[in-house]
């Protein structure tokens, strides 16, 4: 097995291992944001009578309290996403360097520390403007706003119907469950962006890697040929072959939302 083939296999396995980690990160983010249910339960208890009913005349005040809930969701979501990006970056850079060491016999980064690299990845991901014109904090705010709006609708209807606090809490849980797809999409999009960015930036600071290759994933998706990762994997912009790019080509860091493509390295001929 050639050094290049060995490295390709190691980086493909690393990408697969990251997808397993991503599943755990999704669960973590969902649980973190679910903490708001306890805060809402406390608010409902404060507004209810002894019989567990909230009077209609308290509705306006209760809905104003949801402004605080929105802030809490925003805080929980931001804390979760920050942790996910940092964990992903460290996973990618540590794993990629181990793969290079195993294939070539020497480490990848010689010009910058791993700590600085991971900080730069974090800064890139949180400050990156997407095609929606938003940065990560804006997306978390949008998520918290959507959840607040749904909670307002449910609680307003429950109070007007005279439902018990117990019923309201159950309905709040359903709102959260209905919003989990948005949390999953956010984690998958930003986590995979951090993974690709960390892998590419790691290569950019290496003397061993001159080019990187984007590898498409999600081939079972019925619309996969329309995805940008599919098209990028077939581009030959530098005469180096399909899907080969410079590590600094940021367009391969986030081809499209929910993208699970991954980046591998092309070893400089000097080290083959």
């Amino acid at each position: 097995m050639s050094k290049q083939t060995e490295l390709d296999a190691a980086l493909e396995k690393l990408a697969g291992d990251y997808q397993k980690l991503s599943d755990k990160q999704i669960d973590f983010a969902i649980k973190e944001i679910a903490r708001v249910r306890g805060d809402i339960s406390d608010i409902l208890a404060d507004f209810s009578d002894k019989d567990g009913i909230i009077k209609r005349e308290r509705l306006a005040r209760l809905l104003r309290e949801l402004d605080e809930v929105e802030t809490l969701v925003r805080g929980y979501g931001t804390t979760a996403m920050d942790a996910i990006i940092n964990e992903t970056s460290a996973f990618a850079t540590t794993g990629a360097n181990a793969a290079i060491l195993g294939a070539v016999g020497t480490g990848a980064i010689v010009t910058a520390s791993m700590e600085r690299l991971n900080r730069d990845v974090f800064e890139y991901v949180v400050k990156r403007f997407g095609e929606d014109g938003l940065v990560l904090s804006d997306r978390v705010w949008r998520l918290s706003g959507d959840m607040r709006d749904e909670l307002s609708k449910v609680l307003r209807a429950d109070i007007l119907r005279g439902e018990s606090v117990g019923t309201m809490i159950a309905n709040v849980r359903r709102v959260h469950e209905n919003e989990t797809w948005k949390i999953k999409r956010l984690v998958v999009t930003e986590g995979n962006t951090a993974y690709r960015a960390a892998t590419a930036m790691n290569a950019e600071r290496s003397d061993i890697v001159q080019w990187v290759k984007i590898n498409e994933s999600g081939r079972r998706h019925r619309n996969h040929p329309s995805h940008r990762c599919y098209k990028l994997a077939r581009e030959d912009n530098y005469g180096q072959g399909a899907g080969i790019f410079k590590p600094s080509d940021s367009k391969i860091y986030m081809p499209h939302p929910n993208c699970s493509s991954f980046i591998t390295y092309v070893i400089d001929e000097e080290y083959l």
Side-chain angles (χ1 to χ4, degrees), residues 14-24 188 192 195 260-261:
L14 184 67
D17 290 341
Y18 172 66
Q19 293 309 313
K20 297 174 184 177
L21 174 60
S22 179
D23 289 340
K24 295 179 181 178
V188 169
N192 277 283
Y195 182 81
S260 57
S261 64

Side-chain angles (χ1 to χ4, degrees), residues 36-87:
V36 77
R37 296 209 304 257
D39 299 300
I40 296 174
S41 296
D42 291 341
I43 292 173
L44 295 177
D46 289 341
F47 276 82
S48 66
D49 293 332
K50 293 180 180 179
D51 56 1
I53 302 296
I54 298 176
K55 294 180 179 179
R56 291 188 178 190
E57 51 265 33
R58 295 180 179 177
L59 175 59
R61 284 179 52 214
L62 173 61
L63 294 180
R64 285 196 295 272
E65 288 289 324
L66 291 183
D67 289 339
E68 179 183 348
V69 170
E70 181 178 354
T71 301
L72 289 169
V73 172
R74 191 182 305 159
Y76 296 149
T78 298
T79 299
M81 291 308 302
D82 286 355
I84 287 168
I85 293 167
N86 281 320
E87 180 182 40

